[in-house]
C-alpha cells in the first residue's frame, strides 16, 4: 500500500474508496428553530413576516405579543417553519417591487397604472396608505387583478377558492398551476376578481384620523406659540411703561416749596411729588392725617427734625413699617410705609439723618412716604412746619 503525505503532514491513502451501489439524493436542509430579532426603525410585522416567509400570527404567538405595533429595540422571536429552503412561489403576472425612499401608495399606483384599491388587494397586509418602509416588498399585479394571499399551513388552493366562492379551476389557471398539490405553505395565491375593500376603507379611515390628529397637534402648537408671543409683548409693554414712569419721576420731580409762619422742619425726602394733601379728601373718604410723598422704592428717608426715636417697627393699623420721633414739647413726626427701618427705639437722631427707606408696606398702593406732624397727640398740617 502506497502512502502519501497530505498538506497537513498526515498520511493519506492513494487507493480509491469504495462507492455505494446507488447514489442517494440528499434534500435541502430544513429550517427549524427561531431567530432572535431586534426591531429597527421602520420595521413592521407584515414586512418581517414577508422577509422570513412566516405568518405574522406566528411571530405574535412566538414573541408573546398582543398587538402588531412594533417599537425600535423590541426583541422578537421569529419562528423558522419547517419548509425546504426555496423561494416562495409568486403567481405569474405579479411583479415583486422593492420600496424606495419617497415611495407612496399614490405614486406607485400612478406609476404602475393601478388604482389604490388594486394595489391594496395585492398587498392586504399593508398598515398605512402614507408610510411605506424603504426596502420592504410590494407585489404589483401586471396581469390579472385580485386578492393576493399567502397559503397557510395545512391550507390548499381548493380551500382558498371555496372560502371566496371561486372555481378552483379558475384560481389554478390564474396562478399558472397545473397541479394544486405542488403549492407549499408560504406561496402566494391570486384570487382573481376579489378586492380588499374593507381593508382599503379601514386604511382610509386610519389615514383621515392621523391627518386630523396632525392638524390638531399643529393647531395647538400654533396656539401655544401665539400665547407665548402675546405674553412676551405684554411683559415688554409693562417693562417699558414702568421705565417711562421711573424716568418721569427722576427727570421731573415736583417739589412743592411753601413758607409758613411756624416752620422749623425740613423735607424728609428729596426728588418726590405730593400725591395726597392733609385734610378731608372727599365726601365719602377718610380724613387724611398727613401728606403723601411719592418717590422711587428705596429712596432714603431722613428725620425732619432732631429728636429721639419713640417707635420703630410694624404697625397694626395700616402704617406698615414706620418710625415716630419725639422732638419735645409734645411735637412728634411719623414716617410710614417704609421698606426698611434704619434706627432703633431710644436712639437720638439729628435732622437730616437717615431713619429708613421708601417702601409700600401696610395699607399702600405704591411706593411713597406718609408723613405726619402731631402736636399734643393731634395731627396738624405738615406743610405748616416745612419750608
Amino acid at each position: 500500500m502506497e502512502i502519501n503525505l497530505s498538506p497537513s503532514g498526515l498520511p493519506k491513502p492513494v487507493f480509491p474508496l469504495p462507492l455505494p451501489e446507488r447514489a442517494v439524493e440528499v434534500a435541502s436542509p430544513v429550517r427549524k428553530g427561531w431567530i432572535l430579532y431586534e426591531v429597527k426603525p421602520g420595521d413592521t410585522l407584515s414586512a418581517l413576516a414577508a422577509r422570513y416567509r412566516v405568518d405574522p400570527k406566528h411571530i405574535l404567538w412566538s414573541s408573546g405579543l398582543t398587538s402588531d405595533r412594533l417599537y425600535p429595540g423590541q426583541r422578537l422571536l421569529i419562528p423558522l417553519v419547517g419548509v425546504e429552503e426555496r423561494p416562495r412561489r409568486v403567481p405569474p403576472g405579479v411583479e415583486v417591487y422593492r420600496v424606495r425612499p419617497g415611495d407612496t401608495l399614490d405614486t406607485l399606483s400612478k406609476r404602475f397604472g393601478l388604482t389604490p384599491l388594486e394595489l391594496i388587494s395585492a398587498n392586504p397586509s399593508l398598515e398605512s396608505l402614507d408610510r411605506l418602509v424603504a426596502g420592504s416588498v410590494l407585489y404589483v399585479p401586471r396581469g390579472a387583478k385580485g386578492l393576493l394571499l399567502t397559503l397557510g399551513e395545512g391550507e390548499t388552493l381548493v380551500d382558498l377558492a371555496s372560502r371566496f366562492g371561486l372555481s378552483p379551476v379558475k384560481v389554478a389557471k390564474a396562478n399558472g398551476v397545473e397541479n394544486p398539490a405542488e403549492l407549499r405553505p408560504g406561496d402566494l395565491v391570486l384570487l382573481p376578481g376579489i378586492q380588499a375593500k374593507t381593508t382599503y376603507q379601514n386604511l382610509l379611515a386610519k389615514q383621515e384620523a392621523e391627518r386630523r390628529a396632525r392638524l390638531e397637534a399643529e393647531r395647538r402648537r400654533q396656539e401655544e406659540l401665539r400665547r407665548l408671543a402675546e405674553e412676551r409683548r405684554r411683559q415688554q409693554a409693562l417693562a417699558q411703561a414702568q421705565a417711562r414712569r421711573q424716568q418721569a419721576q427722576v427727570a421731573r420731580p415736583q417739589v412743592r416749596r411753601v413758607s409758613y409762619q411756624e416752620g422749623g422742619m425740613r423735607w424728609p425726602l428729596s426728588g418726590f411729588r405730593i400725591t395726597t394733601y392733609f385734610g378731608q379728601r372727599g365726601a365719602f373718604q377718610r380724613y387724611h392725617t398727613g401728606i403723601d410723598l411719592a418717590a422711587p422704592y428705596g429712596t432714603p428717608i431722613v428725620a425732619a427734625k432732631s429728636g429721639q426715636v419713640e417707635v420703630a417697627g410694624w404697625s397694626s393699623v395700616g402704617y406698615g413699617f414706620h418710625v415716630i420721633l419725639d422732638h419735645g414739647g409734645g411735637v412728634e413726626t411719623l414716617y410710614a410705609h417704609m421698606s426698611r427701618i434704619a434706627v432703633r427705639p431710644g436712639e437720638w437722631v439729628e435732622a437730616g439723618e437717615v431713619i429708613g427707606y421708601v417702601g409700600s408696606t401696610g395699607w399702600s398702593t405704591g411706593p411713597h412716604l406718609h408723613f405726619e406732624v402731631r402736636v399734643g397727640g393731634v395731627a396738624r398740617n405738615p406743610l405748616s412746619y416745612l419750608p
Side-chain angles (χ1 to χ4, degrees):
M1 179 176 66
E2 294 183 16
I3 296 181
N4 293 334
L5 293 179
S6 67
S8 62
L10 297 176
K12 62 179 183 179
V14 295
F15 54 80
L17 296 175
L19 295 175
E21 296 181 359
R22 61 186 181 85
V24 177
E25 182 179 352
V26 179
S28 300
V30 174
R31 295 189 299 167
K32 293 183 179 180
W34 290 266
I35 290 177
L36 181 61
Y37 181 84
E38 184 171 325
V39 176
K40 301 175 179 59
D43 280 343
T44 64
L45 187 67
S46 58
L48 291 176
R51 185 187 309 171
Y52 291 100
R53 299 201 294 275
V54 297
D55 191 310
K57 294 178 182 177
H58 293 169
I59 299 179
L60 286 174
W61 295 335
S62 298
S63 305
L65 302 180
T66 57
S67 169
D68 60 357
R69 295 177 64 90
L70 303 181
Y71 306 94
Q74 186 177 14
R75 295 198 170 190
L76 303 179
L77 277 177
I78 301 179
L80 298 177
V81 297
V83 298
E84 294 180 359
E85 285 283 1
R86 69 176 182 84
R88 75 187 309 181
R89 189 181 187 285
V90 179
V94 175
E95 178 181 330
V96 179
Y97 176 80
R98 188 73 64 176
V99 176
R100 303 169 188 168
D103 281 344
T104 66
L105 195 74
D106 186 55
T107 59
L108 292 179
S109 298
K110 293 175 181 177
R111 183 188 306 173
F112 294 112
L114 301 170
T115 65
L117 177 57
E118 289 171 340
L119 199 52
I120 287 292
S121 297
N123 301 271
S125 60
L126 280 178
E127 298 177 354
S128 172
L129 296 178
D130 299 322
R131 298 186 301 277
L132 297 181
V133 180
S136 61
V137 170
L138 281 184
Y139 298 102
V140 181
R142 309 294 280 175
K145 312 295 190 304
L147 183 64
L148 195 63
L149 295 180
T150 301
L151 193 66
E153 193 74 37
E155 197 171 30
T156 67
L157 181 146
V158 176
D159 296 332
L160 283 179
S162 300
R163 188 197 310 172
F164 290 91
L166 298 176
S167 164
V169 176
K170 181 179 179 180
V171 174
K173 184 177 181 181
N175 287 271
V177 175
E178 294 184 0
N179 179 11
E182 67 188 43
L183 293 177
R184 305 285 181 85
D187 287 343
L188 294 176
V189 177
L190 179 69
L191 302 172
I194 304 299
Q195 294 181 321
K197 292 182 179 179
T198 301
T199 300
Y200 183 48
Q201 292 299 326
N202 290 339
L203 290 177
L204 284 175
K206 181 180 179 181
Q207 182 187 51
E208 178 62 18
E210 291 175 348
R211 185 187 70 83
R212 291 181 179 177
R214 287 193 299 269
L215 289 176
E216 178 62 18
E218 179 61 20
R219 183 191 68 78
R220 291 182 179 178
R221 189 180 74 87
Q222 294 295 334
E223 184 177 323
E224 180 64 14
L225 290 176
R226 285 193 295 270
R227 187 189 68 78
L228 292 175
E230 182 62 30
E231 180 64 19
R232 282 195 298 270
R233 286 193 294 269
R234 190 180 71 83
Q235 293 294 340
Q236 290 172 357
L238 287 175
Q240 291 170 359
Q242 184 176 5
R244 285 195 297 267
R245 285 195 299 269
Q246 291 176 349
Q247 290 172 0
Q249 290 172 356
V250 173
R252 298 188 300 276
Q254 299 179 13
V255 180
R256 180 181 176 86
R257 294 195 176 277
V258 294
S259 178
Y260 289 91
Q261 55 183 2
E262 297 186 28
M265 293 187 181
R266 59 174 294 166
W267 289 98
L269 284 177
S270 60
F272 65 89
R273 61 190 178 90
I274 301 177
T275 56
T276 308
Y277 288 89
F278 178 86
Q280 188 67 42
R281 292 180 289 184
F284 301 101
Q285 291 184 317
R286 235 170 15 97
Y287 189 88
H288 197 237
T289 55
I291 57 174
D292 288 343
L293 308 178
Y297 191 93
T299 301
I301 301 170
V302 300
K305 191 176 181 178
S306 299
Q308 187 175 24
V309 180
E310 184 178 353
V311 176
W314 181 262
S315 167
S316 61
V317 293
Y319 289 125
F321 288 120
H322 71 299
V323 170
I324 298 177
L325 299 182
D326 182 359
H327 305 289
V331 179
E332 297 174 327
T333 51
L334 179 144
Y335 311 79
H337 307 307
M338 293 180 174
S339 61
R340 185 159 57 92
I341 296 173
V343 294
R344 296 178 181 177
E347 288 186 32
W348 179 266
V349 295
E350 297 293 338
E353 185 178 341
V354 175
I355 61 173
Y357 300 89
V358 170
S360 185
T361 57
W363 298 345
S364 171
T365 58
H368 73 284
L369 169 65
H370 173 81
F371 177 64
E372 291 185 13
V373 176
R374 299 173 179 174
V375 178
V378 179
R380 300 291 182 88
N381 189 346
L383 294 180
S384 300
Y385 300 83
L386 295 167

